[in-house]
Structure formats: structure tokens, C-alpha cells
């Protein structure tokens, strides 16, 4: 029997009367079934109609300990009740969280705290411009760094079979000044044959190359380690800084983030999401030499709410968990995620549905393939993703899971996340639903 969403619908109508679109983020605007949440706990949440869901979206990644982790709740409440919400003066949590981050992440001598990933990457790009005295930033197609004029630069391209020969054209979102397009150079990910020439051509204007060290905003695309090494080498040779946007990968892919996992050290890194386990906190940092510009206020970064003690109390707890129990913490994510990835692939193969599950056990995606995708199709960047991915099959699959109480994001360009709260029960229940959802895909779309 179909689940009822009557209360969600009514509440959403009410919200929409005063909140434009019913959501305070473009990314969360509901185009399908409205869903209003009542509460979450562990790996699950419940909507206002009382429907239960296993949550593999986890607030777009931050909830690495699951919903409402008792240690985080206690630390945040204690901070608020016993010591206060904010001082705008330094406090002991600045030291505790800063020291843990610097210890955990290879590329960090110093950090600065921010409130969101968008702020952190904005600050990182400004820092790179201040340090180098140059203006342009090279970003890659399909990489996401935030929603402001500077970061939200997409591209217009016609995907071709080889996908590299056509120059991408910066495409600005409505409301952005057109001059922003002049500050960006766009490159294609995983295309070593032309990145060297691109960086060399723009080296006198380029302040930095920014990337997600693992593409997670285009489904999930595993990174060729040689490619990251190449980016490191080329930027160093050209006098251009390398920024790793680790807002998703930081403290998730490994304690040391993607830079720890791949052993490639960027000049500046950004963090968010898992760093706060659900509280709003982000950070950027780098070598002492680069961060000296922040220390001396040569480059501005600020904000009333930066380094909020309540958020840092959450960071302090989650970082302690990761550092003190590194083996079991990441072992657990790896175990759960590996079982899920294998189970998803096995179900697709068994039902004769063309799909490939790719990514890492900490964050992954299932790509359904278009009928005309070649047998040797490889999804390794935005272009191949657009060329081969079948978002219709993904939508049918996602809706069938949703109906069975398993929540994954409706966008095929998003991804599955797991947490410490996910265990055998969630894997078993989800894979049972996956089996039925895959049968639905086969029945409806072949
Ligand atoms: C890689 C990456 N960078 C930056 C951001 C922006 O972070 P926030 O939404 O916290 O502003 C995101 C958000 O999803 C992201 O995935």
C-alpha cells in the first residue's frame, strides 16, 4: 500500500506561503513529492506523516555520526547551557579543533573557521588571489564549490564522443554579473592531454586551480591518482596554487581527507559537512606561509558567526571520535559502504539492468546507462556522465526506493553517503528494497 504524505503536503503548502519555493536552498527545492521531516535518529528519519526512512543522503553528507548523535548533542547543549552560544573572542575550542585538524590533515599548518562550504571556498579563492597577485581561477566542469557568483560558474558544451576537443564556455546563473565569467578558466577533469597547455596558457593570470579531489557533484567519479599528481606538478611549475575543495571528502574519505588518501598535498584546502557532524561549521587552511596573509590581515576573511563555540563543540567531538578510533571509525564506513556498493551492483546485474556502481565506500553513486552507451563506456568526468548516464532509470529507481522507506537523493548527480549509525540492519533492509526497485526499473524501462 502506498505511503500517505497528506501532512507533508499540507505543511509544505503552508511553508510555501512565506518561504519562497518552500525551501531555503535552490538545491533542495522540491520538484516531486513534498516531504517535511519531523525527526531523525541514527541512520533513519521520520516525516510528519510518521513514515520511516533509512537515510543515505544524511543532509547532503554532514551527518557522519548519523542523526542526533548523543555525544554531539551533549557537547552542543552543554556549551550553550553552561558557557554560552558566542563571544566573538578566542576560546579554548578554537585551539582544540584547530590542533586536531592540523594533526589530522597533511596540508594544514593553520586554519580559519567559517560557517559553510561556500564561505570556505570563497575565502580560499580570495586567499589564492591575494597570495599570487593574480586574478583567475581554473575550475573543472561538473565540480561544485558553492552557490555565489564566483563559484557558480557552470558551462555550456555539447557532449561529444571524445568530449575534449570542444572548448567549454562559462555560463553564469541568472543574476550574476557577466564580468564574473572573465575570472574563470574552465577545464575538463581527467584529461591529461590538454590540461598542461591550458595551465601554461593562462599561468600569468591564474591564481589557483580549484577542484574537488574526488568529483562528488556529478554522481561520484573515482579519481585517477596520477591525475592529481599531474595537477600538483603542473601548478607548482606554473606558480599557480592548488586548492582542494574537501567539503565532501574532508574527514570522510579518510581522516586526512582526499589529500591523505592520495598523498597529494594542496596549497589550500577547504572543509565543511563532516567537520560539524550536522552543525554549521566549515574551515579553510594551508601552509603557514600562505595563511600568514590571513594572520596579518593582508587578505580579509571574517564574519560575525565564524568559530561559533556551539559548532566547534560539535567539531571537537566528531574529530575526537575520528582521531581516537581511526581504524574502527573508517573501517566501519568502509564495511557498510562496500556491502552497499557490491549489493547494488549485484542487483543490477541480476536483473539485467545496465548500471555501474562507482565511488568509494564512504560516498558512492549508481549510474544507470543509456541504451546507446557503448559496452566500454567509462564515466570519468562531466562529459562522459552526460553522454552515458540514464537519469530516467535513476528516477524510477529512486522513487521505488522512496516508496519502500529508503531515502536517496532524487538527483542522479548526487550520491549515497553512509555513517557510523548505519549497520547490518540498514544494509539488509536497503538491499531488499533495492532488489524490488531494480525489478521495477526493468519492468518499466527495460
Ligand atoms: C565540494 C563542495 N564544495 C562546496 C560546497 C558548498 O558547501 P555549503 O553548501 O556548505 O555552502 C559543497 C556543497 O555541497 C560541495 O559539495
Amino acid at each position: 500500500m502506498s505511503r500517505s504524505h497528506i501532512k507533508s503536503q499540507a505543511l509544505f503548502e503552508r511553508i510555501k506561503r512565506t518561504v519562497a519555493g518552500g525551501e531555503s536552498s535552490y538545491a533542495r527545492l522540491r520538484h516531486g513529492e513534498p516531504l517535511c521531516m519531523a525527526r531523525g535518529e541514527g541512520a533513519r528519519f521520520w516525516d510528519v506523516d510518521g513514515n520511516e526512512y533509512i537515510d543515505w543522503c544524511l543532509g547532503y553528507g554532514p551527518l557522519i555520526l548519523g542523526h542526533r548523535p548523543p555525544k554531539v548533542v551533549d557537547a552542543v547543549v552543554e556549551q550553550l547551557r553552561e558557557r554560552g552560544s558566542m563571544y566573538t573572542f578566542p576560546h579554548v575550542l578554537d585551539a582544540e579543533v584547530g590542533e586536531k585538524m592540523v594533526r589530522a590533515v597533511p596540508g594544514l599548518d593553520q586554519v580559519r573557521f567559517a560557517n559553510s562550504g561556500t564561505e570556505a571556498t570563497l575565502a580560499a579563492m580570495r586567499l589564492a588571489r591575494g597570495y599570487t597577485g593574480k586574478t583567475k581561477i581554473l575550475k573543472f566542469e561538473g565540480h561544485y564549490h558553492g552557490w555565489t557568483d564566483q563559484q557558480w560558474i557552470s558551462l555550456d558544451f555539447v557532449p561529444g564522443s571524445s568530449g575534449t576537443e570542444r572548448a567549454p564556455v562559462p555560463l553564469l546563473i541568472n543574476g550574476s554579473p557577466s564580468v564574473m565569467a572573465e575570472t574563470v578558466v574552465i577545464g575538463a577533469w581527467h584529461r591529461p592531454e590538454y590540461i598542461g597547455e591550458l595551465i601554461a596558457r593562462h599561468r600569468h593570470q591564474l591564481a589557483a586551480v580549484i577542484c574537488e579531489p574526488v568529483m562528488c557533484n556529478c554522481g561520484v567519479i573515482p579519481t585517477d591518482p596520477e591525475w592529481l599528481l599531474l595537477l600538483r606538478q603542473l601548478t607548482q611549475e606554473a606558480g599557480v596554487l592548488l586548492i582542494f575543495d574537501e567539503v565532501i571528502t574532508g574527514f570522510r574519505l579518510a581522516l586526512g581527507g582526499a589529500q591523505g588518501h592520495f598523498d597529494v598535498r594542496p596549497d589550500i584546502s577547504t572543509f565543511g559537512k563532516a567537520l560539524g557532524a550536522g552543525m554549521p561549521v566549515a574551515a579553510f587552511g594551508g601552509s603557514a606561509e600562505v595563511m600568514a596573509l590571513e594572520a596579518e590581515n593582508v587578505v580579509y576573511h571574517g564574519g560575525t558567526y565564524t568559530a561559533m563555540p556551539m559548532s566547534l563543540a560539535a567539531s571537537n567531538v566528531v574529530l575526537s571520535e575520528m582521531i581516537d578510533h581511526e581504524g574502527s571509525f573508517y573501517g566501519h564506513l568502509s564495511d557498510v559502504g562496500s556491502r552497499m556498493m557490491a549489493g547494488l551492483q549485484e542487483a543490477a546485474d541480476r536483473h539485467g539492468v545496465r548500471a555501474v556502481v562507482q565511488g568509494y565506500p564512504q560516498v558512492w553513486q549508481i549510474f544507470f546507462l543509456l541504451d546507446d552507451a557503448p559496452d566500454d563506456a567509462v564515466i570519468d568526468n562531466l562529459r562522459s556522465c552526460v553522454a552515458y548516464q540514464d537519469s530516467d532509470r535513476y528516477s524510477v529507481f529512486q522513487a521505488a526506493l522512496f516508496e519502500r522507506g529508503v531515502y536517496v537523493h532524487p538527483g542522479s548527480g548526487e550520491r549515497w553517503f553512509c555513517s557510523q549509525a548505519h549497520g547490518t540492519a540498514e544494509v539488509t533492509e536497503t538491499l531488499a528494497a533495492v532488489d524490488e526497485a531494480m525489478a521495477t526499473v526493468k519492468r518499466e524501462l527495460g
Side-chain angles (χ1 to χ4, degrees):
M1 205 180 75
S2 238
R3 296 169 151 224
S4 165
H5 296 120
I6 289 173
K7 289 184 185 165
S8 266
Q9 273 156 4
L11 179 54
F12 194 60
E13 286 309 312
R14 179 177 158 205
I15 296 169
K16 274 201 296 188
R17 283 200 281 276
T18 49
V19 178
E23 274 284 6
S24 291
S25 170
Y26 76 93
R28 301 201 301 258
L29 281 183
R30 307 255 160 233
H31 301 296
E33 188 89 55
L35 195 62
C36 298
M37 283 300 156
R39 67 186 181 90
E41 187 171 352
R44 296 166 194 250
F45 52 21
W46 287 261
D47 67 21
V48 291
D49 290 278
N51 299 308
E52 179 176 324
Y53 304 85
I54 300 175
D55 182 10
W56 296 99
C57 183
L58 295 173
Y60 292 66
L63 301 173
I64 197 158
L65 300 179
H67 291 266
R68 266 195 313 144
K71 285 186 184 171
V72 171
V73 173
D74 290 349
V76 172
V77 170
E78 189 191 314
Q79 173 63 39
L80 178 60
R81 196 172 44 211
E82 307 296 329
R83 290 183 288 280
S85 62
M86 61 186 294
Y87 321 113
T88 56
F89 280 91
H91 52 96
V92 68
L93 286 167
D94 284 300
E96 301 225 334
V97 177
E99 284 160 11
K100 288 186 177 72
M101 289 186 70
V102 166
R103 191 170 131 204
V105 183
L108 297 180
D109 289 338
Q110 289 191 315
V111 297
R112 272 286 183 93
F113 297 113
N115 299 297
S116 68
T118 297
E119 271 184 46
T121 54
L122 207 51
M125 291 192 291
R126 177 183 281 183
L127 178 57
R129 290 185 170 115
Y131 184 81
T132 59
K134 298 186 272 181
T135 305
K136 292 194 180 187
I137 305 286
L138 190 154
K139 85 173 279 279
F140 290 97
E141 300 166 353
H143 290 231
Y144 178 70
H145 304 296
W147 60 270
T148 70
D149 291 342
Q150 282 200 44
Q151 292 135 317
W152 189 291
I153 293 177
S154 177
L155 75 154
D156 192 11
F157 72 92
V158 180
S161 50
S162 74
T164 52
E165 65 290 332
R166 199 183 164 93
V169 182
L171 180 73
L172 288 160
I173 193 153
N174 281 339
S176 292
S178 57
V179 69
M180 295 313 301
E182 292 164 25
T183 67
V184 77
V185 174
I186 293 180
W189 191 243
H190 276 149
R191 289 296 176 267
E193 61 276 19
Y194 96 127
I195 189 68
E197 189 277 325
L198 193 66
I199 292 176
R201 179 152 39 99
H202 294 278
R203 61 180 296 176
H204 298 300
Q205 295 88 43
L206 265 189
V209 170
I210 188 169
C211 66
E212 293 181 63
V214 172
M215 276 186 90
C216 294
N217 279 288
C218 189
V220 181
I221 292 178
T223 302
D224 175 357
E226 295 295 319
W227 165 252
L228 278 192
L229 285 169
L230 179 66
L231 288 184
R232 179 62 287 184
Q233 181 201 328
L234 292 172
T235 46
Q236 232 148 23
E237 286 168 5
V240 172
L241 297 190
L242 180 62
I243 304 174
F244 276 4
D245 177 348
E246 298 237 37
V247 167
I248 287 183
T249 50
F251 306 107
R252 173 169 282 281
L253 200 61
L255 179 60
Q259 57 196 274
H261 179 83
F262 292 108
D263 196 18
V264 178
R265 194 172 295 202
D267 298 297
I268 305 176
S269 318
T270 62
F271 302 88
K273 300 202 189 257
L275 175 62
M279 289 294 284
V281 61
F284 66 98
S287 66
E289 185 185 317
V290 174
M291 293 304 283
L293 272 71
E294 300 290 351
E296 292 154 17
N297 241 1
V298 176
V299 172
Y300 280 2
H301 153 256
T304 303
Y305 295 110
T306 55
M308 271 282 278
M310 281 192 299
S311 295
L312 291 187
S315 296
N316 202 26
V317 168
V318 71
L319 289 174
S320 295
E321 290 292 303
M322 292 160 170
I323 292 170
D324 297 348
H325 311 285
E326 186 182 349
S328 57
F329 191 98
Y330 291 96
H332 182 78
L333 297 182
S334 183
D335 174 53
V336 169
S338 303
R339 283 195 278 160
M340 284 303 305
M341 291 176 76
L344 280 159
Q345 189 66 64
E346 189 275 326
D349 295 347
R350 185 158 36 81
H351 287 276
V353 174
R354 282 186 79 202
V356 53
V357 180
Q358 61 178 50
Y360 303 84
Q362 302 81 2
V363 53
W364 69 90
Q365 179 57 299
I366 177 165
F367 292 90
F368 291 88
L369 298 178
L370 290 166
D371 291 337
D372 59 3
D375 288 341
D376 58 354
V378 175
I379 297 183
D380 65 349
N381 67 12
L382 177 69
R383 291 174 180 227
S384 43
C385 186
V386 172
Y388 302 138
Q389 185 181 207
D390 180 0
S391 49
D392 290 342
R393 282 192 176 91
Y394 182 86
S395 293
V396 169
F397 181 66
Q398 189 273 344
L401 288 179
F402 178 71
E403 190 56 35
R404 288 161 179 79
V406 172
Y407 185 74
V408 293
H409 196 282
S412 56
E414 301 282 339
R415 62 260 129 182
W416 297 51
F417 291 104
C418 63
S419 78
Q420 292 299 313
H422 288 76
T424 296
E426 284 74 24
V427 171
T428 308
E429 281 176 52
T430 301
L431 290 181
V434 162
D435 187 52
E436 294 178 13
M438 210 55 92
T440 307
V441 172
K442 186 70 185 170
R443 193 169 56 246
E444 292 188 11
L445 295 176

